[in-house]
Amino acid sequence: MNVKIKLVRHGITQPNIEGRFLGWTDAPLCDQGVRDLKEIYPDKISVQAVFSSPLKRCRQTAGIVFGEENPIVIDEFKEMNFGDFEMRNHNELDGNPEYQAWIDSNAEVRFPNGEQKSEFIERTMRGMRRLLDICAENNLTDVAAAVHGGTFMAVLSSISDKDYFSFMIKNGHGYELELSYEDGKIILNDYREI
């Protein structure tokens, strides 16, 4: 099966503006986030189905960008669990030995009381396979998903030959992926920014 998926990172939130680790906290888009999305996408993007993380900022983005107020929720697309770092920024964590260890490990060690990057990637890819299974069951070939920055990095680094951090993307921006999916195996045929 071949499918096109438009992945859009949620619009900006107040914690994003403040440079905070924003994982499982259910923060909504801020006014600037709504305005930016409407500016980037003045016309709704039409697709056969819209998927989303369960968190409010992604569901709001699905409504603004794709006109879908009730997207199909993929729980596994939830952002990484940042544990004790959640809602804190660099200045607040500076000098914290656990934070320094995380930096020194190139983000490979587990967040204290949170997830490890490898666990997050595995979870996210389970969600991507679930999305693709739904597409296969319903003959959907052109879909979209409103997701988190971490979701982008997890998915694209898993199905390409590029590094996790090479897929950092600004709020409100996205990629269109062209994928093949057979027997649980995902092949990236092409991708481009939208």
Side-chain angles (χ1 to χ4, degrees):
M1 176 192 79
N2 292 326
V3 63
K4 288 183 182 179
I5 303 176
K6 294 165 182 67
L7 288 180
V8 173
R9 183 180 178 196
H10 65 77
I12 202 161
T13 66
Q14 191 59 41
N16 292 142
I17 291 170
E18 296 169 4
R20 298 187 180 283
F21 282 97
L22 178 59
W24 287 15
T25 300
D26 202 9
L29 299 178
C30 63
D31 291 342
Q32 178 186 337
V34 172
R35 281 193 310 271
D36 289 350
L37 285 173
K38 288 179 178 179
E39 184 177 307
I40 297 167
Y41 305 99
D43 300 313
K44 303 269 191 276
I45 297 175
S46 179
V47 292
Q48 293 172 304
V50 180
F51 298 83
S52 176
S53 155
L55 298 179
K56 186 181 299 180
R57 56 194 182 268
C58 290
R59 290 183 289 112
Q60 288 176 301
T61 298
I64 294 167
V65 177
F66 304 106
E68 180 54 69
E69 300 299 326
N70 295 298
I72 301 164
V73 170
I74 303 288
D75 289 329
E76 296 90 343
F77 281 172
K78 200 172 192 181
E79 180 61 280
M80 186 181 285
N81 181 347
F82 296 124
D84 295 346
F85 297 170
E86 180 76 6
M87 294 300 288
R88 298 174 75 191
N89 63 28
H90 172 74
N91 291 338
E92 294 166 350
L93 291 165
D94 194 28
N96 179 316
E98 291 176 311
Y99 180 59
Q100 190 59 52
W102 178 77
I103 291 171
D104 293 344
S105 77
N106 194 30
E108 294 295 332
V109 299
R110 176 183 308 282
F111 284 97
N113 296 309
E115 280 182 296
Q116 190 166 3
K117 185 172 81 173
S118 60
E119 294 169 333
F120 169 65
I121 291 171
E122 183 180 316
R123 169 172 60 83
T124 301
M125 291 309 294
R126 277 196 315 271
M128 185 58 126
R129 285 183 184 84
R130 190 156 77 91
L131 179 154
L132 290 166
D133 286 339
I134 292 169
C135 289
E137 290 164 11
N138 295 282
N139 199 29
L140 302 172
T141 58
D142 187 16
V143 300
V147 297
H148 304 276
T151 311
F152 264 94
M153 294 187 289
V155 168
L156 285 163
S157 65
S158 294
I159 62 175
S160 75
D161 58 357
K162 294 191 177 179
D163 175 74
Y164 182 83
F165 290 106
S166 64
F167 291 105
M168 293 179 77
I169 190 163
K170 292 179 182 178
N171 291 91
H173 292 267
Y175 286 98
E176 180 176 78
L177 314 180
E178 293 183 16
L179 303 175
S180 297
Y181 183 63
E182 292 294 331
D183 299 321
K185 184 174 181 182
I186 303 169
I187 298 169
L188 177 64
N189 297 319
D190 195 16
Y191 69 97
R192 62 191 150 279
E193 287 192 48
I194 55 172

